Amino acid sequence: MTQLIEGRTGSWEVVIGLEVHAQVISNAKLFSGAPTAFGAEPNEQVSLVDAAMPGMLPVINRVCVEQAVKTGLGLEAEINLVSVFDRKNYFYADLPAGYQISQYQQPIVGKGRLLIDLPDGSQREIGITRLHLEQDAGKSMHDQHPVLSYIDLNRAGIALMEIVSEPDLRSSEEAAAYLKKLRSILRYLGTCDGNMEEGSMRCDANVSVRRPGDPFGTRCEIKNVNSIRYVAQAIDYEARRQIEVIETGGTIDQETRLFDAGRGITRTMRSKEHAHDYRYFPDPDLLPLVLDPAMVARIKAEMPELPDQRRQRYVQEFGLSAYDAGVLVGEKETAVYYETVARGRDPKVAANWVTTDLFGLLNKTGRTIADPPITAEQLGGLLDLIADGTISGKIAKDVFLILAEEGGDARSIVEARGLKQVTDTGAIDAAIDAVLAANADKVAEYRSGKDKLFGFFVGQVMKATGGKANPAALNELLKTRLQG
Amino acid sequence: MTDILDLSLAAARRALADRSLSAVELVGAYAKRVEATRGLNAFITETLDHAVEAAKTADQELASGDAKPLTGVPIGIKDLFCTKGVQTTAGSAILKGFIPPYESTVTERLAAAGAISLGKLNLDEFAMGSSNITSHYGPVKSPWTRAGDDRPLVPGGSSGGSAAAVAARAVLAATGTDTGGSIRQPAAFTGIAGIKPTYGRCSRWGIVAFASSLDQAGAMARDVQDCAILLQAMAGHDPKDSTSAPLPVPDWSAALTGDIRGLKVGVPKEYRVDGTNPEILALWDQGLAWARDAGAEIVEVSLPHTQYALATYYIVAPAEASSNLARYDGVRFGQRVPGKTLDEMYENTRGAGFGAEVRRRILIGTYTLSAGYYDAYYLKAQKVRALIARDFREAFQQVDVLLTPTAPTAAFALGEKMDDPIAMYLNDVFTVPASLAGLPAMSIPAGLSSDQLPLGLHLIGRPFDEATVLRCAHVLERAAGFTARPQGY
């Protein structure tokens, strides 16, 4: 599906490739034993290696390597049994060694693919060019002192996976879908928490435009955009900008641009004169990284179920629609929640409650699935009461809200508040008697053909029973009596 | 005892062990000697007070039978090894006043073995040099002078302070580091023994890096046995250095059997370079004769890529150095010269902090790694390096050890060769190939030049076969019977 942008002189196609920096979940940094936890005081998590003290040497962290392999397998990618760490040389105050240890020509993971989920429920394959391991830099803080900059090296040396896509994306929506899917896979794998706000997942977008069928245009790289929504915004703005430049007779300079979230625009970040020559060369402090095929096989054997597999299972085993299944598997926590609710219960009913009532409640309360107002166990208990006829679906909606506000379990609430459905025909009959007696005129009208009044009688009886009358029983009894 | 200083490390150990000599006496004698030889400028930082205190503890350990292999032995540490609480300069202004909060693995091991450091020894700045004239802390003078000529001579480099201190008997032994010959060439110039073990034998952790794929710590002492003893305490696998070899360390003293019968000693024909001093060539032939007399078999071998070794080295080493020295930016440690912007601070700091030779090598290295030049220089150099290593592998299928001269000349005077870096680089012509191949190699004092300066012979061995190098060196050392001493020292 080609999505074109209409310019003043015709249609344009936007071409997007994404570079995602995903912070590896590991207790220690990529080449040092320093801890990686978020939120420590500045420079509390810095080893001698991270600070690049004289004579310090990097030692690769095995866990980070395994996480990269796991991620590569999750992207159905080639795992390179031999990869090489290179030095990327440049001077900056928050880069202590004056070089970043990265992988240049021989990354640990080669070509792979990722299926993005499109709004119509279909999927499209996006190529993965490579995944490599590298160190993060520290953080410069320019707002702490009038003339000096402060440096926090807590982040320096933390392992990142740079995941590069092919220029296969054709719209900002596809780019957003790619990021959502990638984040979902990383979270399923437990290799990156995917938190863009905290910066544990960052995205650079390469954007160019062309006439449909033409070769690729000149691209601009938009750096470090920190939410999926902003990535989409930045791409839309940048595509429009490039079209405008070309249509007014200009040409696009290959450059690095920065997204200004406040104004929703991109602007030049680094001019050509400051273009870096990184002088890559293999890091002589590290031997080539040689993976044991048995280690790769073990990781492969231990791979968790990934979102696409789970979605397929929901469709096949639970009979859910592709759309509902997609909604439920997007976040691993949602899927886990759903499966807890659905276990031993009607999976479609469970899916309805999760996707409508629970999601609605999350939206309303601003809570997340990780911290829901109602646990999966509580919701499951509620569904049991519907299933065994203890309460009606309508009462269940009320109990759901009570559970959200007050906690507890559904059965106790129903009992304590006398919300149990009345299926005792004697009690319902008594209520019908009273209602019919009090509305003799309407009974006459009904019997003379005004069928529509049936609803009125149902309402009145329900009111008289406090809403607890079993609707099916009520309907049946009422019908018989009115025919009477 | 007036001749405490004449005891070798091995002999001093025996005297300490049988309590005929106390550590306080031994260390005290050396501390006095350090003071008496200050004119050589061998030390950048002395730690004599600390050493004298440590000697007292050493005596208690010796008395209680808790002595370790080097308990009470006074040594010197090349000022490239980071030492906790003791200034470490790498011979550079940029690290003036830098006091590491950590100890290098090698010096940690030496301390754990009981060795007592008398201080930090002078060197060429960041170990870049063959004469010790590039040190910010002034040149080291060799204790040797030519017969009838009292002009000061260089001790060689970069471990020039180590060599001069051992030769002048200001320390019993010293650590050195060798990137292209920095242990072996100064050992040859000063009439001592020095061994660079196989790359990966000693941990590089805590040694200020010059060229990471070449740098290797080693031992410098008066004779082969002392080198074996010191190196034994320095070597071994270190998980903190990914390039350190996970191999056991053999007993090198036990390897000194005095027997090289049947050993195949190779003579690389390409080392007979034009213009080599005839005295050096004569000594080389003499060395081969000693080996033959001791029962070894002499075999001519070919190392066809030798002629490219020096050029290769002077691409690889500066490239790595240009990156390794980027951390000296004035931000976190060492000297900082302020500037109005970050870039200006870098320029001011590095301009003031680095000397001419270091700046030259950073520029060369930056150039050879630059886009558009990388393939022609760095990548090609790596390919040639692989060919040089292959030459050695093939030669070692025919022979057990190679014998060559250590340096093409004897020591030169301070001020000679100063204006011609290429002539200076030629000093390493015999030592650089083994460095590029990562092989163990050793220089032993073997004779005197016509103007009474020491000349060295150089042995190169198979990877991790220091034992054969030491065994052969030990036999040749006996045959040479080198007893000359620097005049006045």
Side-chain angles (χ1 to χ4, degrees):
Chain A
M1 48 184 279
T2 320
Q3 300 154 65
L4 299 177
I5 299 177
E6 288 307 316
R8 276 178 292 165
T9 61
S11 307
W12 296 88
E13 185 181 40
V14 57
V15 175
I16 305 151
L18 297 179
E19 290 174 20
V20 170
H21 287 89
Q23 185 180 317
V24 175
I25 294 177
S26 66
N27 293 326
K29 296 183 179 180
L30 182 54
F31 295 112
S32 83
T36 57
F38 181 78
E41 290 296 306
N43 295 312
E44 274 191 342
Q45 300 181 336
V46 185
S47 75
L48 297 168
V49 174
D50 305 327
M53 299 297 278
M56 292 301 99
L57 298 172
V59 176
I60 185 83
N61 177 343
R62 187 186 177 87
V63 171
C64 298
V65 172
E66 294 190 357
Q67 293 284 61
V69 169
K70 198 171 180 184
T71 307
L73 293 172
L75 297 171
E76 298 172 56
E78 302 156 14
I79 305 300
N80 294 326
L81 294 179
V82 179
S83 63
V84 172
F85 285 100
D86 297 276
R87 292 186 184 177
K88 179 180 181 180
N89 294 282
Y90 65 95
F91 281 93
Y92 201 64
D94 57 25
L95 185 73
Y99 56 84
Q100 177 196 30
I101 305 178
S102 180
Q103 296 190 302
Y104 185 46
Q105 286 180 333
Q106 291 177 260
I108 184 166
V109 174
K111 282 196 180 306
R113 63 179 202 139
L114 180 145
L115 296 170
I116 59 170
D117 301 304
L118 300 172
D120 64 358
S122 68
Q123 292 191 317
R124 197 160 91 74
E125 180 175 321
I126 304 300
I128 301 289
T129 312
R130 58 184 281 165
L131 174 157
H132 70 250
L133 279 168
E134 64 183 27
Q135 301 173 296
D136 206 347
K139 204 167 69 183
S140 294
M141 294 181 286
H142 304 296
D143 55 356
Q144 310 278 309
H145 186 280
V147 290
L148 298 176
S149 290
Y150 286 10
I151 306 293
D152 176 7
L153 295 180
N154 282 350
R155 219 176 59 186
I158 285 183
L160 301 177
M161 296 179 284
E162 181 172 323
I163 303 166
V164 183
S165 86
E166 294 286 322
D168 288 350
L169 299 159
R170 291 292 176 271
S171 68
S172 60
E173 291 79 15
E174 287 192 356
Y178 173 89
L179 290 172
K180 279 183 194 148
K181 191 58 172 285
L182 179 60
R183 185 171 65 181
S184 170
I185 290 172
L186 294 171
R187 285 176 171 169
Y188 267 68
L189 292 168
T191 56
C192 170
D193 69 21
N195 190 332
M196 291 187 80
E197 288 69 38
E198 283 178 9
S200 52
M201 185 168 142
R202 308 195 282 271
C203 180
D204 303 337
N206 285 295
V207 178
S208 64
V209 296
R210 63 173 173 183
R211 297 290 188 187
D214 277 4
F216 289 140
T218 304
R219 66 191 152 87
C220 292
E221 184 180 17
I222 311 166
K223 279 275 181 202
N224 271 338
V225 196
N226 68 356
S227 80
I228 293 178
R229 197 163 57 89
Y230 286 158
V231 172
Q233 267 185 32
I235 290 169
D236 284 336
Y237 175 86
E238 180 62 17
R240 282 273 164 213
R241 184 191 73 84
Q242 291 185 11
I243 291 167
E244 175 74 20
V245 168
I246 299 170
E247 288 191 330
T248 53
T251 51
I252 303 299
D253 291 333
Q254 187 167 338
E255 61 176 355
T256 303
R257 298 178 70 84
L258 206 66
F259 179 63
D260 179 339
R263 297 163 62 194
I265 63 164
T266 67
R267 55 186 159 82
T268 299
M269 175 181 160
R270 197 183 285 150
S271 66
K272 267 185 180 164
E273 302 88 85
H274 277 76
H276 280 133
D277 177 355
Y278 291 119
R279 290 173 282 120
Y280 281 102
F281 75 106
D283 191 331
D285 286 333
L286 291 160
L287 303 172
L289 179 61
V290 180
L291 302 180
D292 178 359
M295 185 259 262
V296 178
R298 174 178 59 74
I299 295 172
K300 201 167 194 168
E302 291 168 1
M303 285 291 278
E305 186 182 45
L306 291 176
D308 282 341
Q309 297 162 327
R310 200 165 211 152
R311 178 163 111 153
Q312 206 173 1
R313 181 161 63 84
Y314 285 9
V315 171
Q316 285 174 351
E317 284 179 26
F318 297 158
L320 303 189
S321 70
Y323 178 82
D324 277 353
V327 169
L328 288 170
V329 302
E331 297 284 345
K332 191 181 175 187
E333 285 97 337
T334 309
V336 169
Y337 186 103
Y338 165 68
E339 287 185 29
T340 308
V341 177
R343 193 170 301 126
R345 304 187 179 99
D346 182 331
K348 284 189 185 171
V349 172
N352 269 333
W353 276 86
V354 171
T355 55
T356 49
D357 299 280
L358 179 75
F359 283 5
L361 184 64
L362 292 178
N363 255 336
K364 213 169 72 189
T365 55
R367 307 264 289 261
T368 66
I369 192 74
D371 172 35
I374 294 179
T375 67
E377 288 74 17
Q378 285 175 309
L379 180 54
L382 182 62
L383 300 198
D384 288 341
L385 297 183
I386 305 173
D388 67 12
T390 305
I391 54 171
S392 67
K394 187 168 175 297
I395 291 285
K397 307 273 177 192
D398 299 335
V399 177
F400 180 80
L401 293 176
I402 295 168
L403 280 171
E405 279 189 16
E406 301 174 15
D409 78 291
R411 193 170 296 277
S412 321
I413 289 171
V414 165
E415 271 167 20
R417 307 202 177 197
L419 296 173
K420 245 181 161 160
Q421 200 161 239
V422 179
T423 42
D424 168 6
T425 52
I428 298 174
D429 267 335
I432 291 174
D433 284 345
V435 168
L436 296 190
N439 297 284
D441 51 339
K442 293 218 164 55
V443 174
E445 278 179 51
Y446 177 84
R447 285 179 178 156
S448 61
K450 217 170 172 189
D451 290 358
K452 280 181 192 160
L453 279 170
F454 188 74
F456 164 78
F457 292 113
V458 171
Q460 290 298 306
V461 178
M462 266 303 178
K463 201 171 165 192
T465 60
K468 293 178 287 182
N470 180 316
L474 167 63
N475 274 346
E476 192 144 324
L477 289 170
L478 189 59
K479 223 166 240 173
T480 319
R481 292 290 303 282
L482 280 171
Q483 277 164 10
Chain B
M1 277 173 80
T2 54
D3 51 0
I4 289 179
L5 300 179
D6 288 340
L7 296 171
S8 70
L9 195 162
R13 271 207 317 181
R14 282 193 298 273
L16 289 169
D18 68 21
R19 312 296 298 133
S20 61
L21 176 69
S22 74
V24 167
E25 286 172 293
L26 180 66
V27 171
Y30 275 96
K32 278 207 188 77
R33 184 68 182 158
V34 168
E35 290 169 355
T37 58
R38 278 179 182 155
L40 298 176
N41 197 29
F43 284 82
I44 292 174
T45 306
E46 294 173 0
T47 54
L48 302 181
D49 292 345
H50 178 265
V52 168
E53 283 305 308
K56 293 177 188 162
T57 311
D59 277 327
Q60 288 165 11
E61 288 174 10
L62 287 159
S64 62
D66 294 336
K68 298 174 289 273
L70 295 176
T71 295
V73 172
I75 62 168
I77 304 294
K78 186 178 184 180
D79 203 18
L80 203 62
F81 292 80
C82 289
T83 43
K84 191 172 181 174
V86 177
Q87 176 183 242
T88 300
T89 68
S92 181
I94 210 160
L95 279 176
K96 191 168 191 171
F98 172 61
I99 298 178
Y102 51 93
E103 184 82 23
S104 81
T105 297
V106 163
T107 49
E108 181 95 55
R109 287 185 179 193
L110 286 169
I116 295 173
S117 171
L118 298 175
K120 305 295 292 291
L121 295 160
N122 206 343
L123 70 159
D124 279 301
E125 184 178 4
F126 283 101
M128 296 177 190
S130 306
S131 62
N132 226 293
I133 56 165
T134 70
S135 170
H136 172 73
Y137 303 88
V140 177
K141 281 196 295 183
S142 173
W144 293 83
T145 47
R146 292 180 184 129
D149 178 353
D150 58 7
R151 277 183 302 164
L153 302 180
V154 302
S158 67
S159 309
S162 302
V166 171
R169 306 201 165 184
V171 294
L172 254 176
T175 65
T177 64
D178 191 314
T179 304
S182 280
I183 286 174
R184 294 161 285 161
Q185 182 254 21
F189 276 16
T190 56
I192 65 166
I195 182 165
K196 174 197 97 74
T198 313
Y199 182 80
R201 191 57 110 171
C202 290
S203 170
R204 291 185 296 114
W205 195 89
I207 301 174
V208 174
F210 160 18
S212 308
S213 73
L214 297 156
D215 294 344
Q216 184 57 208
M220 303 172 80
R222 276 172 225 171
D223 61 31
V224 172
Q225 186 179 22
D226 287 2
C227 281
I229 294 168
L230 191 70
L231 189 64
Q232 192 85 41
M234 296 166 66
H237 178 238
D238 178 6
K240 290 191 287 187
D241 174 1
S242 309
T243 63
S244 130
L247 293 174
V249 178
D251 182 343
W252 285 319
S253 293
L256 308 181
T257 59
D259 183 0
I260 59 166
R261 282 174 298 171
L263 193 75
K264 291 193 171 125
V265 176
V267 192
K269 63 180 180 195
E270 290 81 3
Y271 280 48
R272 290 200 181 267
V273 286
D274 286 344
T276 303
N277 185 329
E279 285 183 335
I280 303 275
L281 293 176
L283 181 73
W284 190 7
D285 289 336
Q286 178 63 65
L288 293 169
W290 288 328
R292 195 181 298 112
D293 292 346
E297 184 188 337
I298 309 301
V299 181
E300 183 171 86
V301 295
S302 175
L303 300 170
H305 297 91
T306 298
Q307 58 175 312
Y308 306 114
L310 212 52
T312 301
Y313 175 84
Y314 276 99
I315 288 169
V316 173
E320 293 181 9
S322 72
S323 176
N324 282 334
L325 270 58
R327 67 188 57 199
Y328 306 101
D329 57 7
V331 174
R332 296 167 314 286
F333 49 77
Q335 297 295 305
R336 174 191 294 178
V337 181
K340 284 198 286 291
T341 63
L342 181 64
D343 283 349
E344 207 180 291
M345 189 275 280
Y346 287 151
E347 288 163 11
N348 293 346
T349 298
R350 291 166 65 82
F354 291 139
E357 183 61 28
V358 171
R359 290 205 298 270
R360 179 181 2 257
R361 296 203 197 189
I362 290 174
L363 287 172
I364 292 171
T366 303
Y367 181 84
T368 58
L369 288 175
S370 295
Y373 300 99
Y374 179 86
D375 288 357
Y377 291 103
Y378 188 79
L379 199 61
K380 178 149 291 175
Q382 289 295 11
K383 288 176 183 166
V384 178
R385 185 176 182 179
L387 293 174
I388 289 168
R390 195 182 67 185
D391 283 356
F392 278 109
R393 268 199 307 281
E394 286 172 359
F396 282 121
Q397 284 171 1
Q398 304 168 57
V399 299
D400 301 306
V401 70
L402 297 166
L403 179 65
T404 78
T406 308
T409 63
F412 43 90
L414 269 169
E416 285 174 3
K417 302 193 187 188
M418 301 297 173
D419 52 354
D420 183 357
I422 303 293
M424 189 68 83
Y425 296 170
L426 279 171
N427 265 284
D428 302 327
V429 68
F430 296 125
T431 49
V432 149
S435 294
L436 289 169
L439 302 172
M442 176 162 212
S443 178
I444 52 163
L448 290 174
S449 66
S450 55
D451 45 10
Q452 303 301 301
L453 293 181
L455 299 173
L457 283 175
H458 183 223
L459 289 151
I460 305 169
R462 294 191 181 99
F464 300 103
D465 190 15
E466 289 85 1
T468 300
V469 172
L470 287 161
R471 175 160 61 101
C472 189
H474 186 234
V475 168
L476 297 182
E477 172 186 67
R478 280 195 191 168
F482 185 88
T483 54
R485 297 273 305 276
Q487 275 187 329
Y489 289 92

